[in-house]
Amino acid sequence: MADTPTDDNQVARSFSIVTMAETPTDDNHVAISIESLASSLENMMDDNSITMSSNCCIFRTPIVLYRHNKKAFVPNGFSIGPYHYGEERLQPAQIIKLKYLQGLLSRSTNPKEKLRELIEDITSVEELARQCYSGSIGFAKEEFVKILVLDGCFIIELLRKNVNEVSRDEDDPLFSMACLNELINHDLILLENQIPWFVLDRLFMLTMIENPGNKGLIELVLRFYNGLFSSDRVSINADQYRSHKIRHILDLLRYSLILPIRSEKYTEKNPGWEPFSCAAKINEAGIEFNKKKNYSTILDIKFSNGTLDIPPLAIHETTEAIFRNLISFEQCCPNCEPFVTSYAKFMDNLIYTTKDVELLTEKGILNNWLDPDDATLYFNKLYNDTYVKKFYYDDICKQVNAYCRSWWNRTRYFYMHNYFGTPWAIVSQIAAAFLLLFTFLQTYYTIMGVVRQPSRSSS
């Protein structure tokens, strides 16, 4: 006798597999065509969009990172590239871009011919440029080329105006209006707002003005963002970047941070890294903080003899955006070493409360242009939902923890900090030492006098 079907089985539909489409004879019986289903899956697998090109380097921000602060990943005023092109709120900036393109072309002997030359050149690499973007680009070839030419020429003209290689109009909004200047500084560093470096470079070379004093594209970008990470002006050596494959502006800014330390050895794999207490607490345990003077990157942190040498970091409105986008790039780009993510992890560990911000600001390590509460929030959870296979600062963390666990280091720091921290404290300690010495001598001679007096009496 057949088993009585359960309630669940009565609700659920039964499926049978057949080799061709058939009309079901039972309301609870659904026929599936193997051939039709296999063809459908084969067509889906043949779709090029499921394969990521080895040239892919511009990504949409993963949702796990995007949700922490959406404002750090989307443009405020200028769309660059295809991802945000056509958004209604960004349309006013298109007028500025067209004006910049017009100014760039006007310096040519034949502007119309120059424009066609630019379009033809970028058309020749359109397919390669398309491969640089993750996912499919929903624009036809002509529209995509138009985006690359307009946005690329706009960036090049902006960079040249920044160093006065070409003249600026007095009413140029990007240099006369502080709000727009801040917008473009923010928007050009977004991962979703990039165009391939080779597109920029081709447009740059085709529109270059022959002048011995003019600078190359790499130097123009680094000059535009000099002071982004530190208020100290770092010297620019464009030659060190030429042997590296630069993928876009954000990638170049990352190179400016990692090249000076890239050759140093760091932990290959250490999922169980040793966190340490925040700045205020390890300071109480004897760790001193020192503003590093000779440095070429903010990532160059050293620990020696109980002192953390940390290069100064500028904290301003764009700080969170640049770090979040650099971290997003490191998380998305295949085989990308997480140097910046490691730095964010280290600083987030160091900064927990406003007390930590105030301590590091007092030491000159943080150049904070914001409220201490805002600066604290910038670093808290900055690296959340990221994966760091190689943690660059693991050795420093271990050294700091070992130093803090030493009883002698804690005691020595406590005594020096509390009793020799100011000139008056030093004077009082010296006075107390002399007083103790005099008391000891007085007691000693008193005892010696008592001992000698009986001896004389007996004689």
Side-chain angles (χ1 to χ4, degrees):
M1 182 175 179
D3 293 337
T4 302
T6 63
D7 292 340
D8 290 338
N9 289 334
Q10 290 174 347
V11 174
R13 289 188 174 189
S14 62
F15 293 89
S16 66
I17 300 177
V18 295
T19 58
M20 62 172 63
E22 298 179 355
T23 304
T25 57
D26 187 349
D27 290 341
N28 291 328
H29 187 92
V30 179
I32 295 178
S33 169
I34 290 180
E35 189 61 33
S36 176
L37 182 57
S39 297
S40 175
L41 287 172
E42 286 171 349
N43 290 334
M44 292 170 66
M45 289 186 290
D46 289 338
D47 188 352
N48 292 330
S49 65
I50 69 171
T51 304
M52 188 173 73
S53 167
S54 59
N55 297 315
C56 186
C57 59
I58 303 172
F59 308 88
R60 289 193 180 274
T61 306
I63 188 64
V64 294
L65 302 179
Y66 182 79
R67 65 189 179 187
H68 290 298
N69 187 353
K70 299 177 182 179
K71 294 180 180 180
F73 299 107
V74 297
N76 291 327
F78 294 82
S79 69
I80 303 295
Y83 283 157
H84 294 278
Y85 179 78
E87 292 183 12
E88 185 176 353
R89 65 186 182 84
L90 303 176
Q91 288 310 297
Q94 294 298 106
I95 299 174
I96 299 176
K97 288 197 267 184
L98 288 169
K99 187 175 181 180
Y100 269 48
L101 175 61
Q102 185 180 50
L104 182 146
L105 295 173
S106 67
R107 292 191 296 275
S108 174
T109 54
N110 191 332
K112 290 186 177 181
E113 182 180 333
K114 176 59 68 174
L115 177 59
R116 282 153 179 78
E117 181 186 1
L118 298 177
I119 293 173
E120 182 180 3
D121 188 80
I122 300 304
T123 300
S124 68
V125 294
E126 180 270 341
E127 184 58 35
L128 183 59
R130 192 179 289 267
Q131 293 174 9
C132 293
Y133 293 88
S134 64
S136 59
I137 303 298
F139 293 103
K141 188 170 186 176
E142 288 187 1
E143 189 72 10
F144 184 52
V145 170
K146 183 175 77 172
I147 294 170
L148 295 178
V149 171
L150 177 60
D151 292 353
C153 289
F154 162 68
I155 293 173
I156 291 167
E157 188 75 352
L158 174 69
L159 296 175
R160 286 173 174 158
K161 286 188 175 186
N162 181 63
V163 295
N164 295 309
E165 282 189 3
V166 298
S167 60
R168 310 175 192 168
D169 295 337
E170 290 186 5
D171 61 345
D172 189 325
L174 291 184
F175 292 95
S176 61
M177 298 174 63
C179 62
L180 285 183
N181 187 269
E182 181 65 29
L183 286 183
I184 194 62
N185 285 341
H186 171 273
D187 290 350
L188 287 184
I189 62 175
L190 305 182
L191 179 58
E192 296 184 2
N193 233 24
Q194 301 296 312
I195 60 175
W197 182 264
F198 68 84
V199 171
L200 275 178
D201 192 51
R202 294 174 81 97
L203 293 171
F204 179 81
M205 296 303 294
L206 288 171
T207 60
M208 187 165 51
I209 305 170
E210 294 296 335
N211 190 321
N214 286 355
K215 299 168 179 60
L217 182 58
I218 293 175
E219 186 173 356
L220 287 178
V221 173
L222 295 177
R223 281 183 176 273
F224 188 82
Y225 280 109
N226 200 354
L228 176 63
F229 299 107
S230 176
S231 54
D232 293 342
R233 294 287 173 174
V234 180
S235 60
I236 297 173
N237 178 15
D239 292 335
Q240 67 178 324
Y241 302 93
R242 302 193 194 284
S243 60
H244 299 276
K245 182 182 178 182
I246 301 171
R247 287 163 281 201
H248 40 68
I249 287 178
L250 183 66
D251 189 36
L252 174 60
L253 294 177
R254 179 176 176 272
Y255 270 127
S256 72
L257 294 177
I258 72 171
L259 283 185
I261 63 169
R262 197 176 187 182
S263 60
E264 296 182 15
K265 183 180 178 181
Y266 64 104
T267 305
E268 285 299 317
K269 187 173 182 180
N270 183 33
W273 72 289
E274 291 188 15
F276 53 81
S277 297
C278 61
K281 288 190 177 297
I282 64 174
N283 183 238
E284 293 174 356
I287 300 292
E288 292 284 357
F289 294 95
N290 180 56
K291 174 187 173 182
K292 196 166 190 177
K293 295 179 180 179
N294 297 320
Y295 67 96
S296 54
T297 170
I298 59 169
L299 305 188
D300 189 17
I301 300 172
K302 301 295 182 185
F303 179 76
S304 178
N305 298 323
T307 300
L308 268 171
D309 289 313
I310 305 177
L313 171 68
I315 300 180
H316 43 72
E317 293 292 343
T318 313
T319 301
E320 184 177 9
I322 182 60
F323 277 110
R324 286 197 179 277
N325 281 272
L326 286 170
I327 290 170
S328 181
F329 177 57
E330 288 187 343
Q331 294 292 300
C332 293
C333 191
N335 303 315
C336 189
E337 297 168 314
F339 284 100
V340 179
T341 311
S342 294
Y343 177 81
K345 194 172 185 177
F346 183 90
M347 294 300 290
D348 182 31
N349 205 82
L350 203 61
I351 299 172
Y352 186 69
T353 67
T354 55
K355 187 177 180 181
D356 303 311
V357 172
E358 290 168 354
L359 173 61
L360 296 178
T361 301
E362 179 185 340
K363 298 293 183 180
I365 294 170
L366 294 183
N367 189 356
N368 182 27
W369 292 84
L370 305 175
D371 183 88
D373 290 326
D374 293 334
T376 304
L377 292 175
Y378 270 23
F379 287 99
N380 287 348
K381 302 181 181 180
L382 187 60
Y383 71 93
N384 276 25
D385 292 317
T386 63
Y387 175 64
V388 179
K389 183 178 180 181
K390 303 175 181 179
F391 183 55
Y392 180 71
Y393 300 101
D394 182 60
D395 286 342
I396 292 180
C397 292
K398 289 178 179 177
Q399 293 171 25
V400 168
N401 281 330
Y403 191 93
C404 291
R405 283 193 290 265
S406 169
W407 174 86
W408 166 249
N409 291 328
R410 292 199 307 270
T411 303
R412 181 172 60 87
Y413 177 82
F414 175 81
Y415 192 84
M416 295 296 293
H417 182 73
N418 288 280
Y419 296 104
F420 290 93
T422 64
W424 286 111
I426 295 173
V427 170
S428 64
Q429 290 301 305
I430 294 174
F434 275 110
L435 180 61
L436 182 63
L437 177 62
F438 290 147
T439 303
F440 171 78
L441 292 175
Q442 183 181 19
T443 304
Y444 173 78
Y445 284 117
T446 300
I447 294 174
M448 291 302 295
V450 171
V451 171
R452 288 175 181 176
Q453 192 171 15
S455 299
R456 291 176 182 175
S457 300
S458 60
S459 61

